[in-house]
Amino acid sequence: MILTRGARVTGAVLTGVLAAMVLAWIVRDLRAVGDPLDLPRYWAGYTDTRPEGLPATLSTDPVLLVVYVCAFFAALRSSVAAATLVATGLVTVALRLPGVWTIGASWTDERYGGELRTRALLGTFVALAAGLALVVTGAAGRRRPGDQYERLPTRPGRAAGAAVFVVLGISGAVVIAWEVRQYLTLPSALYPDWFIGGRVISIGLTAAPPGWSSAVLAVICLVVAWTALFRAVHSRPLGMIAAGFLLVSGATGIARAFHHRVIDRIGDLGTEQQLMVLTSFLFAVAGAVALPALARRGFEDVERPPQDDRGYGYPHTGDPGYGYPHAGDPGYGRPRPDGRGYGYPQASTPPYGYPQAGGGTGSPPPPASPPPGW
């Protein structure tokens, strides 16, 4: 299935709106922090960063901005536009849904002003509506290819599917293992805030709580890992989104470890701290492997509509070509099924000038043409 022209335009408009909203929040944060370099440091989790104003975004927002920009161009030109719009819409809804209850919570009064919270809440509802509209557009705007020359959705290759199955499957399992660790170590009164937000857990105004984001990432990684093994079409766009989040998460974790000189004394750290550093390297490698593997154009092995495969000059079924006899009709000069060839008289009509059956003479010849001038 491919996407109709109207659905492509609609998807491009929706992704453009989502990209503009994220970009507006990033620009706001760049102005609020004072030094523009403090914003990426804040995203990376540097503990010594002291921005003038508290940013409203986290590291997931620049990833979403890149996703929306790529989805914008994919909606207009890509053969996997339908799957891209559905994947982008689902990820948007999953990551923006917690803003419905976190932005209006009382514990956000101490961090952000009332006007900023109102803007964020309105933006959350717009993002949720746009995400749902992307899912509907990508699912309902599909059609069958009109001819054999239209590009069909491409599936990942066998090697790419196997590589994605390994790296994203391991990454999803590691994320789940860390969440189990959080459940065992965090106090029972604090653990719900890890998932739904709270006064103790510091999150961005437009971002989801850390436990919620981790759960969404784990589900996406495992779904893509399983479906990529069977070379599903949607595993390409959804897998690239998951790979982008893994790559950024791993890169920020590595940068944080080098900035705080954790790498220099990694041998003196406890087992859990060492595993955290190794997890950052794992996520960075997984994203770096899965992203180019899925970004490569796959194979058009989706079944095309039936087409006539005969060469030029051959007649269609039931439609004889030039110089070819009809089905059941003998060719020129060949005998008919009754044994008569070309020029032989029929059984019921004698030739001209021969007597008909039953006596008498044949029909008289037709009258001559009148002379010219009459």
Side-chain angles (χ1 to χ4, degrees):
M1 292 290 184
I2 59 178
L3 207 60
T4 62
R5 181 176 179 82
R8 288 181 181 274
V9 174
T10 303
V13 171
L14 292 173
T15 52
V17 170
L18 290 171
M21 292 174 55
V22 176
L23 182 60
W25 281 109
I26 293 177
V27 171
R28 178 265 169 194
D29 287 347
L30 288 173
R31 295 176 177 177
V33 295
D35 185 2
L37 294 179
D38 285 342
L39 184 58
R41 295 192 188 104
Y42 178 83
W43 288 342
Y46 293 178
T47 57
D48 55 353
T49 302
R50 298 293 183 269
E52 296 180 4
L54 187 61
T57 59
L58 290 180
S59 59
T60 56
D61 291 277
V63 178
L64 285 176
L65 178 60
V66 176
V67 169
Y68 294 147
V69 172
C70 294
F72 173 84
F73 291 102
L76 296 176
R77 303 181 58 181
S78 176
S79 60
V80 292
T84 301
L85 295 183
V86 173
T88 304
L90 290 176
V91 172
T92 300
V93 173
L95 293 180
R96 295 308 188 195
L97 184 61
V100 175
W101 62 79
T102 59
I103 295 175
S106 59
W107 47 267
T108 59
D109 294 339
E110 305 171 358
R111 305 173 185 176
Y112 304 99
E115 181 182 357
L116 192 64
R117 293 170 58 202
T118 302
R119 289 167 49 192
L121 188 59
L122 292 176
T124 297
F125 285 116
V126 173
L128 291 175
L132 292 175
L134 283 176
V135 175
V136 174
T137 301
R142 299 179 299 172
R143 64 173 176 84
R144 295 187 62 85
D147 52 45
Q148 58 182 345
Y149 300 105
E150 286 189 311
R151 291 189 307 167
L152 295 179
T154 53
R155 302 173 183 268
R158 296 186 182 277
V164 171
F165 171 75
V166 173
V167 295
L168 291 191
I170 293 176
S171 299
V174 170
V175 173
I176 293 177
W178 278 113
E179 289 306 312
V180 172
R181 175 64 177 172
Q182 294 290 348
Y183 175 77
L184 297 176
T185 57
L186 289 178
S188 58
L190 181 60
Y191 186 74
D193 295 345
W194 178 257
F195 269 94
I196 62 176
R199 190 178 302 275
V200 180
I201 304 298
S202 178
I203 62 175
L205 183 62
T206 63
W212 184 284
S213 300
S214 298
V216 171
L217 181 60
V219 171
I220 295 176
C221 288
L222 295 180
V223 169
V224 173
W226 180 253
T227 56
L229 191 62
F230 299 97
R231 304 172 62 198
V233 174
H234 68 269
S235 63
R236 289 189 62 208
L238 189 60
M240 285 189 286
I241 294 175
F245 281 110
L246 287 175
L247 183 60
V248 171
S249 176
T252 54
I254 294 173
R256 186 169 56 251
F258 276 100
H259 178 74
H260 295 295
R261 301 185 180 277
V262 176
I263 300 296
D264 299 339
R265 49 188 178 87
I266 190 172
D268 300 331
L269 299 177
T271 303
E272 185 173 351
Q273 287 74 19
Q274 292 177 348
L275 290 178
M276 291 179 63
V277 176
L278 293 178
T279 300
S280 298
F281 282 96
L282 171 64
F283 287 170
V285 171
V289 171
L291 193 59
L294 294 174
R296 292 184 58 187
R297 193 169 183 268
F299 300 92
E300 292 185 356
D301 55 357
V302 182
E303 184 180 358
R304 289 185 176 272
Q307 299 287 338
D308 187 11
D309 56 355
R310 285 166 293 177
Y312 175 76
Y314 286 86
H316 294 268
T317 305
D319 187 12
Y322 177 78
Y324 285 82
H326 290 268
D329 191 10
Y332 177 80
R334 297 183 182 274
R336 298 178 180 272
D338 54 6
R340 290 167 291 140
Y342 178 78
Y344 284 85
Q346 298 181 5
S348 59
T349 305
Y352 177 75
Y354 285 84
Q356 298 181 359
T361 59
S363 301
S369 301
W374 278 44

